Amino acid sequence: QKVLLFLQDCGADCAKFQKSELEYKFNKKALERPYTSKHSWGKTYGEHKRHLEFSHDQYRELKKYAEEIGIFFTASGMDEMAVEFLHELDVPFFKVGSGDTNNFPYLEKTAKKGRPMVISSGMQSMNTMHQVYQIVKPINPNFCFLQCTSAYPLQPEDVNLRVISAYQSAFPDIPIGYSGHETGIAISVAAVAMGAKVVERHVTLDKTWKGSDHQASLEPNELAELVKAIRTVEKAMGSPVKQLLPCEMACNEKV
């Protein structure tokens, strides 16, 4: 709830979590394997994941709280059963994480639910994204692609913001956005200037916490600054028509 409140305070439109149905997503061998990473929350991968995973009741509580404070709430459904639960939860849209973007049976089943979809494109090729478009579009026209590079933290030279323009040309009838795992806010602001209609960033209350994502996340002050900068850039994009503006009249008369 504290995270939801800080997202709302910072001016974010939506809070997105990740939901997995662990017994469905992983087989017994995967859940029982030893997990000795410095980021581990348990002796086995199953113990680690169960420690981190919110229950259905916790998700219902979070969604109710989000509605009370006036922020949208959804999640990435990390497997088909998770999508079923999120559909039952009545989320405003489904997020498809990069790891499932080339999972075509998953995409088809998710698209058939009829909810808007936000699809990240980390680890994918342009050819794969054309295939994704061809699968989803006939079933559900309400979707968008996010340019994404799946590295944590992401280095500037691997961001490739120009892919946003390539997607805009290749898929002119859908919105294009940006999912960033870099440090700082400058690159995400630049994505908006390039026409990104959706911006997704990881957030944390403390970058030093255990877990590989925290250092690639924004703390509350950074998120507030990002939202403020994006709103300023949105205003500044303005009109493509070049003409003498009313605000220029005083200068025009003087010089």
Side-chain angles (χ1 to χ4, degrees):
Q1 288 185 349
K2 188 175 181 181
V3 172
L4 288 173
L5 191 57
F6 106 64
L7 287 170
Q8 193 267 347
D9 285 344
C10 291
D13 297 303
C14 181
K16 184 199 72 73
F17 285 62
Q18 288 187 176
K19 185 74 188 89
S20 296
E21 299 294 346
L22 299 179
E23 310 302 327
Y24 180 86
K25 183 177 176 67
F26 300 104
N27 62 31
K28 187 177 180 182
K29 184 177 179 181
L31 291 173
E32 291 179 352
R33 72 176 170 85
Y35 194 59
T36 56
S37 163
K38 65 180 181 180
H39 303 303
S40 174
W41 290 96
K43 293 180 181 179
T44 66
Y45 192 64
E47 286 181 11
H48 167 74
K49 296 297 284 187
R50 290 186 190 100
H51 174 84
L52 294 171
E53 192 67 41
F54 286 167
S55 69
H56 286 194
D57 284 343
Q58 286 173 315
Y59 263 84
R60 292 186 184 101
E61 183 181 348
L62 284 169
K63 182 163 187 291
K64 183 173 182 289
Y65 182 70
E67 289 170 350
E68 288 173 0
I69 65 173
I71 189 170
F72 289 112
F73 177 87
T74 190
S76 301
M78 307 301 282
D79 56 78
E80 291 175 10
M81 290 305 292
V83 171
E84 292 293 336
F85 168 68
L86 294 171
H87 186 57
E88 172 198 320
L89 195 64
D90 196 26
V91 295
F93 65 90
F94 292 128
K95 170 70 198 302
V96 178
S98 293
D100 282 309
T101 296
N102 60 355
N103 183 347
F104 297 154
Y106 167 100
L107 284 178
E108 187 172 343
K109 290 180 180 178
T110 303
K112 284 180 177 176
K113 298 296 184 186
R115 297 183 187 275
M117 297 168 66
V118 175
I119 304 172
S120 277
S121 61
M123 303 175 286
Q124 311 304 329
S125 66
M126 181 61 91
N127 181 58
T128 297
M129 298 313 294
H130 276 285
Q131 290 178 277
V132 171
Y133 178 92
Q134 290 160 7
I135 289 168
V136 175
K137 182 71 175 181
I139 304 170
N140 182 352
N142 297 316
F143 67 101
C144 72
F145 287 162
L146 306 184
Q147 162 56 358
C148 178
T149 302
S150 298
Y152 306 81
L154 174 60
Q155 299 304 309
E157 58 268 26
D158 293 320
V159 172
N160 293 329
L161 285 179
R162 287 192 174 96
V163 174
I164 293 173
S165 301
Y167 283 166
Q168 289 167 337
S169 297
F171 313 108
D173 57 341
I174 65 170
I176 303 301
Y178 174 69
S179 178
H181 306 129
E182 74 276 4
T183 55
I185 71 169
I187 290 170
S188 294
V189 175
V192 174
M194 292 183 69
K197 303 301 183 186
V198 176
V199 174
E200 177 190 37
R201 291 296 303 269
H202 289 212
V203 298
T204 183
L205 297 177
D206 188 337
K207 290 183 184 183
T208 67
W209 281 349
K210 186 167 76 172
S212 57
D213 276 12
H214 289 290
Q215 65 185 103
S217 300
L218 298 176
E219 291 181 342
N221 62 319
E222 293 176 300
L223 180 64
E225 190 63 30
L226 175 61
V227 173
K228 182 180 177 182
I230 286 174
R231 298 305 180 217
T232 300
V233 169
E234 286 173 333
K235 290 179 184 176
M237 293 301 288
S239 167
V241 177
K242 183 59 183 172
Q243 59 183 331
L244 178 66
L245 296 176
C247 68
E248 297 178 296
M249 290 306 297
C251 189
N252 185 59
E253 291 169 9
K254 181 178 178 180
V255 303

